Amino acid sequence: NMSKPQAVLEDIREGGATRVKELAEENKLDNVAHADLSEIIIQQEFEFISPEEQAQAEKDKKIEGLEISLTRKAQRDNQSMLNTLKEQLAEVERKNAQLDSELREANQKLKMNMMCSIATMEPAESLKQLQEENMMLKQQLSRSMTSLISTGKVSVTSADKGDIVLVVWSDEHNNYQVYHEGTVLHFLHTESISTLGLVEAGGLRKKHITSEVVEKEYCQAKKAENRFRVRQGTKFYRVKCKLVEKTVDNLAR
Protein backbone atom coordinates (compact mmCIF):
# COMPACT_ATOMS: atom_id res chain seq x y z
CA ASN A 1 0.00 0.00 0.00
CA MET A 2 1.17 3.54 -0.90
CA SER A 3 1.49 6.29 1.72
CA LYS A 4 -0.78 9.28 1.33
CA PRO A 5 1.93 11.61 -0.07
CA GLN A 6 2.97 8.95 -2.58
CA ALA A 7 -0.63 8.43 -3.66
CA VAL A 8 -1.02 12.20 -4.18
CA LEU A 9 2.17 12.35 -6.26
CA GLU A 10 0.98 9.46 -8.41
CA ASP A 11 -2.34 11.21 -8.84
CA ILE A 12 -0.51 14.38 -9.97
CA ARG A 13 1.61 12.41 -12.47
CA GLU A 14 -1.54 11.06 -14.06
CA GLY A 15 -3.63 14.22 -13.86
CA GLY A 16 -1.02 16.82 -14.72
CA ALA A 17 -1.15 20.51 -13.89
CA THR A 18 -4.97 20.52 -13.75
CA ARG A 19 -4.92 17.86 -11.05
CA VAL A 20 -2.37 19.86 -9.02
CA LYS A 21 -4.80 22.77 -8.95
CA GLU A 22 -7.71 20.54 -7.87
CA LEU A 23 -5.67 18.92 -5.10
CA ALA A 24 -4.52 22.30 -3.87
CA GLU A 25 -8.14 23.45 -3.58
CA GLU A 26 -8.97 20.29 -1.64
CA ASN A 27 -6.00 20.93 0.73
CA LYS A 28 -4.53 17.53 -0.09
CA LEU A 29 -0.99 18.82 -0.84
CA ASP A 30 -0.05 19.67 2.74
CA ASN A 31 1.85 16.46 3.35
CA VAL A 32 3.59 16.40 -0.10
CA ALA A 33 7.22 17.53 -0.15
CA HIS A 34 7.72 20.69 -2.17
CA ALA A 35 10.79 19.25 -3.97
CA ASP A 36 8.85 16.17 -5.09
CA LEU A 37 6.00 18.33 -6.36
CA SER A 38 8.34 20.64 -8.29
CA GLU A 39 10.12 17.69 -9.94
CA ILE A 40 6.82 16.24 -11.13
CA ILE A 41 5.72 19.58 -12.59
CA ILE A 42 9.10 20.01 -14.36
CA GLN A 43 8.88 16.51 -15.84
CA GLN A 44 5.44 17.33 -17.18
CA GLU A 45 6.56 20.65 -18.72
CA PHE A 46 9.81 19.48 -20.27
CA GLU A 47 10.99 16.51 -22.28
CA PHE A 48 14.28 15.25 -20.95
CA ILE A 49 16.92 14.14 -23.49
CA SER A 50 19.09 11.11 -22.88
CA PRO A 51 22.93 11.39 -23.17
CA GLU A 52 22.81 9.30 -26.37
CA GLU A 53 20.20 11.58 -27.89
CA GLN A 54 22.19 14.63 -26.84
CA ALA A 55 25.39 13.22 -28.43
CA GLN A 56 23.50 12.44 -31.66
CA ALA A 57 22.02 15.94 -31.71
CA GLU A 58 25.46 17.52 -31.31
CA LYS A 59 26.81 15.27 -34.06
CA ASP A 60 23.96 16.26 -36.37
CA LYS A 61 24.59 19.91 -35.57
CA LYS A 62 28.29 19.57 -36.44
CA ILE A 63 27.45 17.81 -39.71
CA GLU A 64 24.96 20.54 -40.57
CA GLY A 65 27.58 23.20 -39.76
CA LEU A 66 30.16 21.42 -41.91
CA GLU A 67 27.72 21.22 -44.82
CA ILE A 68 26.97 24.94 -44.51
CA SER A 69 30.69 25.69 -44.35
CA LEU A 70 31.41 23.59 -47.44
CA THR A 71 28.52 25.21 -49.31
CA ARG A 72 29.77 28.69 -48.45
CA LYS A 73 33.33 27.74 -49.45
CA ALA A 74 32.09 26.40 -52.79
CA GLN A 75 30.16 29.63 -53.32
CA ARG A 76 33.26 31.69 -52.52
CA ASP A 77 35.38 29.56 -54.86
CA ASN A 78 32.82 29.90 -57.64
CA GLN A 79 32.63 33.66 -57.12
CA SER A 80 36.42 33.90 -57.13
CA MET A 81 36.60 31.89 -60.36
CA LEU A 82 33.89 34.08 -61.89
CA ASN A 83 35.76 37.24 -60.90
CA THR A 84 38.97 35.83 -62.41
CA LEU A 85 37.19 35.01 -65.68
CA LYS A 86 35.68 38.50 -65.75
CA GLU A 87 39.13 40.04 -65.26
CA GLN A 88 40.61 37.86 -68.01
CA LEU A 89 37.76 38.80 -70.35
CA ALA A 90 38.25 42.48 -69.56
CA GLU A 91 41.99 42.13 -70.29
CA VAL A 92 41.28 40.41 -73.62
CA GLU A 93 38.82 43.15 -74.56
CA ARG A 94 41.38 45.82 -73.58
CA LYS A 95 44.07 44.19 -75.72
CA ASN A 96 41.65 43.86 -78.64
CA ALA A 97 40.79 47.54 -78.36
CA GLN A 98 44.50 48.40 -78.22
CA LEU A 99 45.20 46.27 -81.30
CA ASP A 100 42.30 47.90 -83.16
CA SER A 101 43.68 51.33 -82.25
CA GLU A 102 47.20 50.37 -83.36
CA LEU A 103 45.83 48.94 -86.62
CA ARG A 104 43.90 52.13 -87.37
CA GLU A 105 46.99 54.20 -86.56
CA ALA A 106 49.17 52.01 -88.79
CA ASN A 107 46.68 52.30 -91.67
CA GLN A 108 46.56 56.05 -91.22
CA LYS A 109 50.35 56.29 -91.23
CA LEU A 110 50.48 54.11 -94.33
CA LYS A 111 48.07 56.44 -96.12
CA MET A 112 50.04 59.47 -94.99
CA ASN A 113 53.32 57.93 -96.14
CA MET A 114 51.82 57.37 -99.57
CA MET A 115 51.23 61.11 -99.77
CA CYS A 116 54.47 63.09 -99.81
CA SER A 117 54.90 66.59 -98.47
CA ILE A 118 53.27 68.51 -101.42
CA ALA A 119 49.39 70.60 -102.80
CA THR A 120 46.15 71.09 -104.90
CA MET A 121 45.36 73.18 -107.91
CA GLU A 122 42.26 73.53 -109.96
CA PRO A 123 42.36 71.10 -112.94
CA ALA A 124 42.37 73.85 -115.58
CA GLU A 125 45.04 75.83 -113.78
CA SER A 126 47.12 72.70 -113.20
CA LEU A 127 46.91 71.70 -116.88
CA LYS A 128 47.89 75.19 -118.01
CA GLN A 129 50.90 75.20 -115.68
CA LEU A 130 51.98 71.76 -116.88
CA GLN A 131 51.78 72.89 -120.49
CA GLU A 132 53.93 75.92 -119.71
CA GLU A 133 56.45 73.77 -117.87
CA ASN A 134 56.60 71.28 -120.73
CA MET A 135 57.30 74.14 -123.13
CA MET A 136 60.16 75.29 -120.91
CA LEU A 137 61.52 71.75 -120.69
CA LYS A 138 61.34 71.34 -124.46
CA GLN A 139 63.39 74.48 -124.88
CA GLN A 140 66.07 72.97 -122.66
CA LEU A 141 66.24 69.74 -124.66
CA SER A 142 69.08 69.25 -127.10
CA ARG A 143 68.44 68.32 -130.71
CA SER A 144 69.33 64.68 -129.97
CA MET A 145 66.79 64.60 -127.15
CA THR A 146 64.15 66.13 -129.39
CA SER A 147 64.97 63.48 -131.97
CA LEU A 148 64.43 60.74 -129.41
CA ILE A 149 61.00 62.18 -128.62
CA SER A 150 59.95 62.63 -132.23
CA THR A 151 61.09 59.15 -133.22
CA GLY A 152 59.33 57.56 -130.26
CA LYS A 153 62.50 56.12 -128.73
CA VAL A 154 61.52 57.55 -125.35
CA SER A 155 58.08 57.71 -123.78
CA VAL A 156 56.50 61.07 -123.09
CA THR A 157 52.94 59.87 -122.42
CA SER A 158 53.63 57.20 -119.81
CA ALA A 159 56.17 56.48 -117.10
CA ASP A 160 55.46 52.88 -116.23
CA LYS A 161 57.93 50.21 -115.20
CA GLY A 162 60.29 49.43 -118.10
CA ASP A 163 59.55 52.66 -120.04
CA ILE A 164 62.52 54.64 -121.35
CA VAL A 165 62.03 58.27 -120.30
CA LEU A 166 63.84 61.60 -120.31
CA VAL A 167 64.96 62.98 -116.97
CA VAL A 168 65.38 66.76 -117.14
CA TRP A 169 66.48 69.33 -114.57
CA SER A 170 63.76 71.88 -113.68
CA ASP A 171 64.88 75.25 -112.35
CA GLU A 172 61.31 76.09 -111.36
CA HIS A 173 60.95 73.06 -109.08
CA ASN A 174 64.66 72.84 -108.22
CA ASN A 175 64.47 69.12 -108.93
CA TYR A 176 64.73 66.58 -111.70
CA GLN A 177 61.54 65.80 -113.58
CA VAL A 178 60.56 63.01 -115.91
CA TYR A 179 59.51 64.72 -119.13
CA HIS A 180 55.85 63.81 -119.44
CA GLU A 181 53.12 65.37 -121.57
CA GLY A 182 50.27 64.19 -119.35
CA THR A 183 48.31 66.07 -116.68
CA VAL A 184 50.26 64.87 -113.64
CA LEU A 185 53.75 65.95 -112.63
CA HIS A 186 56.48 63.26 -112.50
CA PHE A 187 59.50 63.97 -110.28
CA LEU A 188 62.63 61.86 -110.08
CA HIS A 189 62.96 60.04 -106.77
CA THR A 190 65.83 61.39 -104.69
CA GLU A 191 67.44 57.94 -104.46
CA SER A 192 67.78 57.82 -108.25
CA ILE A 193 69.96 60.95 -108.49
CA SER A 194 73.07 59.03 -107.43
CA THR A 195 71.96 55.90 -109.31
CA LEU A 196 71.88 57.86 -112.56
CA GLY A 197 75.08 59.81 -111.78
CA LEU A 198 73.36 63.14 -112.29
CA VAL A 199 75.71 65.03 -109.97
CA GLU A 200 79.29 64.90 -111.24
CA ALA A 201 82.54 65.63 -109.48
CA GLY A 202 82.75 69.20 -108.28
CA GLY A 203 79.00 69.39 -107.84
CA LEU A 204 78.23 69.85 -111.54
CA ARG A 205 74.71 68.80 -112.38
CA LYS A 206 73.67 67.10 -115.64
CA LYS A 207 70.76 68.83 -117.33
CA HIS A 208 69.16 65.73 -118.79
CA ILE A 209 69.59 61.99 -119.27
CA THR A 210 67.66 59.00 -120.55
CA SER A 211 66.74 56.35 -118.02
CA GLU A 212 64.52 53.33 -117.47
CA VAL A 213 61.58 53.45 -115.03
CA VAL A 214 61.89 51.00 -112.14
CA GLU A 215 58.80 51.99 -110.16
CA LYS A 216 56.71 55.01 -109.21
CA GLU A 217 54.54 56.10 -106.30
CA TYR A 218 51.58 58.47 -106.19
CA CYS A 219 51.98 61.35 -103.73
CA GLN A 220 50.29 64.51 -102.51
CA ALA A 221 51.84 67.62 -100.95
CA LYS A 222 50.90 68.00 -97.29
CA LYS A 223 52.66 71.32 -96.71
CA ALA A 224 52.91 74.58 -98.60
CA GLU A 225 56.69 74.52 -98.10
CA ASN A 226 58.02 71.43 -99.87
CA ARG A 227 61.06 70.22 -101.81
CA PHE A 228 59.28 70.16 -105.16
CA ARG A 229 57.98 73.72 -104.86
CA VAL A 230 54.39 72.82 -105.66
CA ARG A 231 51.21 74.02 -104.05
CA GLN A 232 49.81 72.31 -100.98
CA GLY A 233 47.58 69.42 -102.04
CA THR A 234 49.19 68.94 -105.47
CA LYS A 235 49.21 65.29 -106.55
CA PHE A 236 52.19 63.89 -108.45
CA TYR A 237 54.37 60.84 -109.00
CA ARG A 238 57.82 60.13 -107.62
CA VAL A 239 59.63 57.93 -110.12
CA LYS A 240 62.60 55.67 -109.47
CA CYS A 241 64.85 55.13 -112.50
CA LYS A 242 67.99 53.28 -113.48
CA LEU A 243 70.56 53.68 -116.25
CA VAL A 244 69.73 52.27 -119.68
CA GLU A 245 71.98 50.72 -122.32
CA LYS A 246 74.79 53.00 -123.45
CA THR A 247 73.59 52.88 -127.05
CA VAL A 248 70.40 54.64 -125.99
CA ASP A 249 72.05 56.83 -123.41
CA ASN A 250 74.63 58.12 -125.88
CA LEU A 251 71.87 59.41 -128.14
CA ALA A 252 70.73 61.67 -125.35
CA ARG A 253 74.10 63.30 -124.70
Side-chain angles (χ1 to χ4, degrees):
N1 294 333
M2 276 189 260
S3 65
K4 185 176 180 180
Q6 289 177 334
V8 172
L9 289 176
E10 188 64 26
D11 192 9
I12 291 173
R13 286 192 182 94
E14 293 177 358
T18 303
R19 186 59 179 155
V20 171
K21 183 177 179 181
E22 292 174 352
L23 292 173
E25 291 175 352
E26 295 173 3
N27 296 319
K28 294 182 179 181
L29 300 179
D30 296 341
N31 297 323
V32 178
H34 184 269
D36 293 337
L37 182 61
S38 298
E39 180 65 21
I40 292 174
I41 294 173
I42 289 174
Q43 289 178 1
Q44 290 177 343
E45 290 182 353
F46 300 99
E47 180 182 0
F48 290 91
I49 301 173
S50 66
E52 292 78 10
E53 292 175 331
Q54 183 177 0
Q56 183 62 42
E58 291 178 356
K59 181 179 179 181
D60 292 342
K61 187 175 182 180
K62 287 181 180 180
I63 292 175
E64 182 181 359
L66 181 59
E67 289 176 347
I68 294 174
S69 178
L70 289 174
T71 301
R72 290 177 178 174
K73 183 178 184 303
Q75 290 174 344
R76 288 195 300 270
D77 291 343
N78 290 339
Q79 186 63 43
S80 177
M81 183 180 298
L82 180 61
N83 292 338
T84 301
L85 290 174
K86 286 181 178 179
E87 291 174 0
Q88 291 175 350
L89 179 60
E91 179 66 13
V92 170
E93 290 176 346
R94 185 189 67 78
K95 289 183 177 180
N96 284 339
Q98 182 179 353
L99 288 173
D100 287 341
S101 176
E102 291 175 355
L103 181 59
R104 287 194 299 270
E105 185 178 352
N107 287 333
Q108 186 176 4
K109 286 183 178 179
L110 180 60
K111 290 179 181 178
M112 295 300 291
N113 288 338
M114 293 175 66
M115 303 163 67
C116 312
S117 65
I118 336 276
T120 71
M121 290 181 278
E122 294 299 324
E125 183 182 356
S126 176
L127 179 59
K128 181 180 178 181
Q129 182 175 340
L130 283 173
Q131 290 172 341
E132 292 175 352
E133 291 175 358
N134 284 340
M135 287 297 297
M136 293 176 61
L137 289 175
K138 279 185 177 180
Q139 293 172 4
Q140 296 178 19
L141 296 178
S142 65
R143 289 183 178 180
S144 60
M145 297 283 279
T146 305
S147 175
L148 287 174
I149 294 174
S150 61
T151 57
K153 292 182 179 180
V154 294
S155 174
V156 295
T157 58
S158 66
D160 298 323
K161 183 177 180 180
D163 286 347
I164 304 301
V165 295
L166 297 178
V167 177
V168 184
W169 174 258
S170 171
D171 290 327
E172 181 179 357
H173 295 289
N174 196 37
N175 262 283
Y176 282 100
Q177 282 183 255
V178 172
Y179 181 75
H180 189 272
E181 296 183 354
T183 58
V184 182
L185 291 168
H186 287 64
F187 291 106
L188 183 68
H189 198 289
T190 307
E191 294 178 4
S192 297
I193 294 177
S194 59
T195 302
L196 298 177
L198 291 171
V199 180
E200 300 176 337
L204 296 176
R205 184 185 295 113
K206 292 182 180 180
K207 290 295 183 181
H208 46 70
I209 192 174
T210 57
S211 62
E212 181 181 343
V213 176
V214 176
E215 62 176 293
K216 65 180 180 181
E217 57 186 0
Y218 197 46
C219 305
Q220 183 177 14
K222 293 190 296 182
K223 300 178 182 178
E225 299 285 334
N226 54 77
R227 70 178 65 188
F228 296 122
R229 297 181 179 179
V230 295
R231 295 183 183 182
Q232 184 177 3
T234 298
K235 295 178 181 179
F236 60 92
Y237 285 102
R238 284 202 309 174
V239 186
K240 287 186 179 181
C241 296
K242 67 178 181 178
L243 291 170
V244 296
E245 295 295 330
K246 290 293 182 180
T247 54
V248 179
D249 191 47
N250 287 338
L251 290 175
R253 293 183 182 274

